[in-house]
Amino acid sequence: MYEVENRVPNFDLYPVKTMNDIKANVGVDEIVKTIKNQINKDNYIICFDYYYGINEKVIKDIIEMLNPTSLFDSNFAKYSEDIVQEKFGTFITEDRVNGVFSIAKIIDYFDQKKIQELRNKIKESKGLTILYGVGASLITRGDLLVYGSISYQTIKDRFQNGLTNWGANNPEEEYLRKEKRFNFLESRVLDKHKRKMLKECDFIIDCNKDNQFVMITQKQFDKIVNKFSTSPFKPIPIFMKGVWGGHWCQKVLNAGLDLENTAWGITGFLDWQAVAVELENGIFEFPSTDLIQYNPKGILGRKIWYLYGYRCPLHVNFLDTWGGGNLSLQVHPTIAYAQEEFNSSWGHYESYYMLDTCEDSSVYLGTKDGVKLDDLVDAFEEAQRSGNFDDEKYINHFKMKKHDHVFIPAGTIHSSGKNTLTLEIDMFCFTTFKLWDWGRLDYDGKPRPINIDHGKHVIQEEFQTSMIKDQFISKKQEIDSGFGWKKERSGCMPFEAPMEVNRYWFTKAVHFDPNDCIMIHVLVEGEEAIIESLDNKFDPMIIHYAETVFIPPEAGQYIIKPFGLSKDKECAVLEIYMDI
């Protein structure tokens, strides 16, 4: 294990950008005062629109303090739960974890006749009129539009604590089904609406902390996004427990100390994470996806945006099995299957980079030479009845060392073994088909979802021992070098995914050019390094061991060199990008 006895952990658990030139409105009293100051005529309409999942009680407290003459709730025009289920049941599905990606828009949740009825009532109202609710601006934006934002993880935490899905009365439904509905339906609908709101609103409120809402102007938000678009940034990491989880992140990074284990460490997954900026008088936190919704070409680069739209195709995260167990034997969907079954524009391609290992570290990867798909599927199905699966008969099991790297294209059976810290590097991901979970139960006392019915349609029979050894395990070939550095090709797959991964070993500065594509760096050896702009476009940023940094193309060219505790020592950093 990485040194822990004589080391002070330096992993940044809540990274922020500093913008002391922006002053926010912090707390309900300041928010109310600022909004009151905007009212400049006798008949005035304020619209509070927001993302589903915020604490509406706080919004209602703000509204009460504004003392409106007339008050309207957008829920009046929203369809009932039965109609919502009828309209969107195809996307929600009966599956515990897999839905179908929705093509719906937020307007589809509302009754047009009732929208018109609300518009007529608002038109007739006098004095201060306030309209509030998810999608409220569909009725009218009013004279002042205030938008409430919340991070995805905050919503998911609230699902765990009884929050219902939007348009459903399901407080007791299991978390997996709530999360599925959010991922496949609600977030798709709400994000499209948010994209418009972030441009058109007058104020934006960070609603993540019930006891401290933070409000800024739209122009201030524009300035914040520009700061992120032109400089390196670190999303806020998320750590979660799992039945196979280990303790490496707790011991080495000092992370997730309140958890039973740290199975997952989400460090570079913009779809899930948030970012934060420290202002003159508070911290403003918002979903990382807002950066992409607001400035997609600046954050992702034109080449990525033209091909993949409003989504970063690259993700990285930790799989921590140190002192835990194996992951499930699993497989990911191919593009063809994902398109036909889930209305997805992508499949799921990934790789496992061994960030830290011991003598027990290993990976399960592909099937053994000669294994037939039908026999394998029969064995997985029988295992669900008998509780036993002969993995040694069917699945390759390779010992792993630190900095080994294996590629896992869609259709490859795989699992990270116990006592390993794996850095998972993905090109797109949205679902996993578990085939065998070693007979264990999840925290709710139920078996985790097994998806052999899906998995059997995507397993690639040709991905067997000979091919795995030849093409799926990195040869770590050196491909370039210079003064004080050398470059190795860590990525190892000659076909399918245009995801490229290189590793630089360096004692001196290494030069990088984003080339109009967002870059990801992870420091995989050394305590710390520093990222510096070649033209002083951004302030230097320190990257610590195991941290993930995103660098948008608008940040320009830069160098990375050892810093602080690692000065004059050899470090290693990964370069992850789309080779397009």
Side-chain angles (χ1 to χ4, degrees), residues 93-112:
T93 77
E94 292 300 319
D95 192 287
R96 288 178 70 194
V97 294
N98 292 305
V100 175
F101 282 110
S102 168
I103 58 172
K105 298 180 179 178
I106 195 168
I107 192 67
D108 299 331
Y109 272 78
F110 291 87
D111 184 321
Q112 294 303 303

Side-chain angles (χ1 to χ4, degrees), residues 102-280:
S102 168
I103 58 172
K105 298 180 179 178
I106 195 168
I107 192 67
D108 299 331
Y109 272 78
F110 291 87
D111 184 321
Q112 294 303 303
K113 291 182 179 179
K114 290 187 176 181
I115 282 181
Q116 191 57 51
E117 185 178 339
L118 279 176
R119 285 174 179 163
N120 293 338
K121 290 181 178 179
I122 291 171
K123 188 176 181 180
E124 296 170 358
S125 62
K126 305 296 182 181
L128 177 60
T129 300
I130 293 182
L131 168 67
Y132 72 97
V134 178
S137 62
L138 295 172
I139 299 158
T140 178
R141 71 137 1 248
D143 299 295
L144 189 75
L145 176 56
V146 182
Y147 185 74
S149 178
I150 186 171
S151 299
Y152 293 161
Q153 191 58 39
T154 305
I155 296 171
K156 292 182 178 184
D157 289 344
R158 291 178 179 183
F159 283 149
Q160 298 270 23
N161 294 319
L163 177 69
T164 64
N165 287 100
W166 188 39
N169 183 21
N170 61 343
E172 302 302 323
E173 188 168 40
E174 67 172 328
Y175 170 75
L176 289 177
R177 291 184 181 274
K178 290 182 181 179
E179 183 185 41
K180 172 201 66 176
R181 181 167 173 154
F182 177 79
N183 290 341
F184 284 89
L185 173 61
E186 292 161 1
S187 66
R188 303 269 288 188
V189 169
L190 295 169
D191 283 352
K192 292 175 191 175
H193 181 61
K194 179 198 282 189
R195 192 182 310 151
K196 181 181 179 183
M197 290 297 95
L198 294 177
K199 296 283 188 178
E200 297 183 359
C201 69
D202 299 295
F203 291 96
I204 300 172
I205 303 178
D206 166 12
C207 302
N208 283 287
K209 296 179 180 179
D210 293 344
N211 62 346
Q212 193 175 65
F213 276 22
V214 179
M215 186 174 78
I216 60 175
T217 67
Q218 195 281 333
K219 290 183 179 179
Q220 289 173 326
F221 182 75
D222 182 88
K223 188 174 183 179
I224 289 170
V225 173
N226 183 66
K227 178 82 168 181
F228 277 89
S229 301
T230 55
S231 62
F233 65 89
K234 304 174 188 176
I236 301 166
I238 302 166
F239 294 90
M240 299 179 292
K241 69 178 183 179
V243 290
W244 45 264
H247 308 281
W248 188 94
C249 295
Q250 294 168 325
K251 293 179 179 179
V252 178
L253 307 182
N254 207 35
L257 299 183
D258 58 331
L259 301 174
E260 182 178 330
N261 57 62
T262 46
W264 290 279
I266 313 300
T267 59
F269 196 169
L270 298 187
D271 286 6
W272 283 21
Q273 293 172 266
V275 290
V277 56
E278 185 175 10
L279 309 177
E280 176 186 330

Side-chain angles (χ1 to χ4, degrees), residues 7 70 141 148 187 236 247 295 411 467 478 488 490 506 515:
R7 176 179 180 270
S70 302
R141 71 137 1 248
S187 66
I236 301 166
H247 308 281
N295 184 20
M467 188 177 186
E478 183 176 322
E488 296 173 342
S490 185
F506 60 102
N515 190 28

